[in-house]
Amino acid sequence: MKLTSLLRRTLVGFALLLGLEALLRGLDRFDPTAIEDPYMGFPGSAPIYRPIDRPGGEAWRETSPNRRNAYRTVEFPLRKAEGEWRVFCLGGSSVFQERFIDPDASFPFLLEVYLRGLAPESSPRVINSGGAGTGSIQNLEVAREVLGYEPDLLVLYPEGGEKNSIPPSPGGVLAHADRDNPARVWARRALADLRCYVALREAFMGLLPRGTGAWVRSAFSGQVQQALAEPFSERTFTRLFEFKQDRVPVLMEQVIPEAEVRYANQRFLDNLREIARLCRSAGVRLVLVLPLHNLRSSFYLRFHIDPDELLPGMEGEWRQRYEQGLSAKRAGDHLAALKLLRSVRQCYREDRDDILGFYIAECFAALGYPNLELEELLRIYQRHPMLGHIRQVAEEFDLPLVDPLPDMLRRTGGRAPGDRYFLDAYHPSAEGGWVIARAIAKTLAREGAGRPLVAWDAPTVQAAERFAEKRVVEVGMPLLCQINAALRAKDFEAALGLLGQIPPEERDSNTLYAFAYGWALTRSGRIDQARELHGRLVARFGQGSGDLPDMSTDEGMVRHAFQGDVFAIF
């Protein structure tokens, strides 16, 4: 009798839930693809691309509304047309690349141009599935989804969004919770499409207290909040940008525990392997691309040294040599600076000081040795563990591996690529995207793409080259690139002239432009104007958060604003 009663209650419960689900669907409420998702990009999220009906009843997919801040708004047919060559490009913001480049000159767009030249008998469709701020966890979920959309090829460009999956970031906390309790993932996957689940989740989230804002999302956003929370000073607009310019790195213990770093590296490796396995099982080709970054930018280089990295008893000597070398560099005596800075390496058990290598490279550049500058900068770039992981997976699964760096160096004439090829410290400009797209296309032409391709010197490919070049010229060097180049060269008058091209209202409403403007005003001696700008920003954005962690010291900046330089040590 009890069993019968339990069964009856269970059936009634299911009937009520089905009724609620039908009602919510009928009212078009709590659509999982339209409501902000606290698990966005993690297992159990709503799909990136939802089905829609176009005029005439043709079924297509479009980017879900709640993904359009992080993913491009695109549409593609539910079913491939005959002859269509469908390619998805996965990765982070360097793939997404929607901001600052108009018209589209992202590398997925330019890759489609080249594929049309290489396969004139096909109809290539390259879909940009890069997501801003995403790492391998999200890349894996995107791969799971798009493998159901009849792809012929996946191109994966992994990059720095991995730092967002390391505690204390919210993504890192969620990733660890999922690791420790796999049932969470199973439950979210099972419930993700149900509107009644979304309604209950929204009700529960509404009962929770609001976050305190004590976690700093990025170095820039954290410094903006702190700068607006404090009275104006001559460091307000300069501190963040000059924190890693000709200064001795902070001597402090590692912020991110070694076990956490090892785990993050292993997770990245495992996620790439799983993507490769999924593609192999689905019979879909996968191409891995080694990510590039601006070799002439120090913004993301590690800026703290653990005392254990120094040889015993060398702390005083280390600091003295460093300070003397940087003093000579600031004075313009680059030969003396080079000798002193290179001697700093003798103080280490093992030299892993990337910022030191960057300073040495700047000395070589000033002395007219671009080849030695490049050698130092490549030493920093090539030892990043992410590159080794990508190479390892490509070798294990016998995957095509694209390294755009040789093409980039041919384009620069063997000089270190800088602001012309990047919008900032990391994201490629239109010309940088062109180099990446071209390197991918050349690799496919050389190693095969699963369908007939014409030779690289064929007229259709040459036409693609001309179109790509025209598009890059059309986009030009974005204003942001020009501003960054002027600021990095310490040509503050030129930076002010460029920033003056932006309407004041637009400039003040964009904190990136506003703080760059404040930096240039301060360093060009226009202190009163910088103070007025600070007042306008406080009036516009508020007084800043009083819940921010203390970033008044160098240690606080490394720990909180730069989050222990996790970008560099991952």
Side-chain angles (χ1 to χ4, degrees):
M1 189 69 180
K2 289 183 178 180
L3 181 61
T4 303
S5 177
L6 177 61
L7 180 60
R8 185 183 299 113
R9 290 174 183 176
T10 302
L11 292 174
V12 169
F14 272 119
L16 289 173
L17 284 175
L18 288 173
L20 176 61
E21 182 70 18
L23 176 64
L24 293 175
R25 288 177 182 270
L27 296 173
D28 196 20
R29 299 292 304 277
F30 297 104
D31 181 351
T33 66
I35 290 179
E36 184 178 354
D37 186 350
Y39 305 110
M40 189 62 73
F42 281 79
S45 297
I48 300 176
Y49 304 111
R50 67 177 187 179
I52 56 170
D53 290 326
R54 299 188 77 182
E58 188 178 4
W60 280 54
R61 287 190 181 273
E62 66 171 5
T63 306
S64 298
N66 60 4
R67 295 294 188 106
R68 291 176 187 172
N69 284 334
Y71 290 84
R72 282 181 176 257
T73 300
V74 299
E75 294 183 353
F76 56 92
L78 196 65
R79 296 295 177 194
K80 277 194 308 187
E82 185 177 352
E84 180 182 330
W85 185 9
R86 184 169 290 186
V87 180
F88 287 90
C89 290
L90 282 58
S93 50
S94 291
V95 181
F96 169 63
Q97 203 65 322
E98 188 171 50
R99 302 180 180 93
F100 304 112
I101 295 183
D102 185 33
D104 188 4
S106 63
F107 86 72
F109 172 84
L110 296 172
L111 177 60
E112 182 175 297
V113 171
Y114 277 107
L115 295 186
R116 289 182 184 279
L118 283 168
E121 301 302 318
S122 298
S123 300
R125 182 191 297 273
V126 178
I127 299 164
N128 187 330
S129 294
T134 60
S136 65
I137 294 174
Q138 292 81 13
N139 298 160
L140 174 55
E141 293 308 303
V142 174
R144 290 185 197 279
E145 179 180 341
V146 302
L147 283 172
Y149 302 152
E150 300 183 276
D152 299 290
L153 174 69
L154 264 59
V155 176
L156 178 59
Y157 186 98
E159 53 179 333
E162 202 67 25
K163 67 184 177 67
N164 297 324
S165 298
I166 298 177
S169 74
V173 173
L174 177 56
H176 277 40
D178 283 353
R179 175 198 64 185
D180 297 337
N181 187 359
R184 290 164 47 95
V185 175
W186 179 87
R188 290 203 308 269
R189 287 193 192 281
L191 300 171
D193 293 333
L194 298 179
R195 299 194 179 205
C196 55
Y197 162 68
V198 176
L200 291 171
R201 187 189 70 204
E202 288 293 295
F204 175 73
M205 297 295 290
L207 296 174
L208 295 178
R210 296 292 179 184
T212 62
W215 179 73
V216 178
R217 184 165 182 81
S218 71
F220 180 70
S221 63
Q223 190 62 20
V224 166
Q225 291 182 64
Q226 177 142 325
L228 299 184
E230 298 175 346
F232 173 79
S233 75
E234 293 190 17
R235 299 176 69 205
T236 293
F237 294 113
T238 64
R239 185 164 184 248
L240 175 71
F241 298 116
E242 297 181 3
F243 190 66
K244 299 180 180 181
Q245 283 188 5
D246 290 351
R247 299 180 71 240
V248 179
V250 185
L251 193 64
M252 60 186 289
E253 292 184 357
Q254 295 288 353
V255 176
I256 308 297
E258 183 65 27
E260 188 65 57
V261 174
R262 287 198 302 270
Y263 172 70
N265 277 275
Q266 188 61 50
R267 180 180 60 202
F268 176 82
L269 191 57
D270 290 343
N271 286 340
L272 258 61
R273 285 171 172 153
E274 183 62 17
I275 292 172
R277 280 192 285 267
L278 290 171
C279 288
R280 176 177 289 178
S281 297
V284 174
R285 285 176 174 264
L286 173 65
V287 172
L288 297 179
V289 187
L290 297 174
L292 295 173
H293 69 253
N294 189 341
L295 298 185
R296 287 184 165 164
S297 172
S298 62
F299 193 79
Y300 284 119
L301 299 183
R302 182 169 71 106
F303 195 67
H304 62 291
I305 301 298
D306 191 295
D308 288 343
E309 294 179 54
L310 297 175
L311 291 168
M314 293 296 289
E315 180 178 335
E317 187 71 17
W318 170 81
R319 190 175 299 280
Q320 182 181 29
R321 293 182 188 185
Y322 229 131
E323 288 175 344
Q324 289 177 346
L326 292 177
S327 178
K329 184 172 179 290
R330 285 190 292 267
D333 189 350
H334 291 96
L335 192 59
L338 187 60
K339 182 178 179 180
L340 286 161
L341 291 173
R342 294 179 84 179
S343 75
V344 172
R345 287 177 167 159
Q346 299 168 12
C347 301
Y348 291 120
R349 298 176 188 271
E350 177 189 357
D351 175 24
R352 294 187 286 119
D353 187 349
D354 289 348
I355 204 76
L356 175 63
F358 186 84
Y359 295 151
I360 290 171
E362 287 187 313
C363 289
F364 277 130
L367 291 168
Y369 296 104
N371 57 323
L372 295 177
E373 176 204 14
L374 178 62
E375 184 180 312
E376 284 288 341
L377 295 178
L378 288 181
R379 183 170 175 266
I380 297 167
Y381 164 74
Q382 290 173 336
R383 68 183 176 192
H384 197 291
M386 179 183 287
L387 303 184
H389 299 330
I390 297 170
R391 289 190 177 99
Q392 181 177 340
V393 173
E395 183 176 349
E396 287 177 5
F397 288 84
D398 192 25
L399 301 172
L401 178 66
V402 180
D403 184 358
L405 183 61
D407 280 18
M408 179 72 81
L409 294 179
R410 279 191 288 272
R411 191 160 186 82
T412 64
R415 292 177 176 268
D419 296 300
R420 173 176 169 180
Y421 300 95
F422 297 90
L423 295 170
D424 45 33
Y426 210 81
H427 302 98
S429 65
E431 192 162 357
W434 182 17
V435 172
I436 295 168
R438 196 173 188 274
I440 297 170
K442 285 172 64 179
T443 299
L444 291 173
R446 182 176 63 251
E447 300 191 19
R451 61 183 56 217
L453 301 179
V454 300
W456 187 256
D457 59 356
T460 52
V461 178
Q462 299 309 305
E465 292 263 44
R466 291 192 296 272
F467 181 92
E469 183 174 14
K470 180 182 177 184
R471 173 54 60 93
V472 169
V473 170
E474 184 180 2
V475 171
M477 188 175 180
L479 187 59
L480 179 62
C481 287
Q482 299 177 55
I483 293 168
N484 284 337
L487 290 170
R488 238 186 294 279
K490 300 182 182 178
D491 189 347
F492 297 108
E493 292 297 333
L496 285 173
L498 293 165
L499 286 157
Q501 298 177 24
I502 305 171
E505 175 66 19
E506 179 184 342
R507 190 176 59 219
D508 285 2
S509 64
N510 182 314
T511 53
L512 179 59
Y513 284 139
F515 269 66
Y517 188 50
W519 183 15
L521 287 172
T522 302
R523 286 300 178 225
S524 60
R526 296 166 170 83
I527 304 302
D528 288 341
Q529 290 178 254
R531 182 181 289 106
E532 291 174 7
L533 172 62
H534 180 260
R536 293 199 303 273
L537 295 177
V538 170
R540 178 183 289 271
F541 296 109
Q543 192 65 43
S545 172
D547 295 320
L548 281 174
D550 180 19
M551 292 183 284
S552 61
T553 64
D554 285 354
E555 291 82 358
M557 281 287 285
V558 169
R559 185 177 300 278
H560 300 295
F562 287 96
Q563 299 161 38
D565 280 315
V566 66
F567 187 98
I569 64 175
F570 167 74

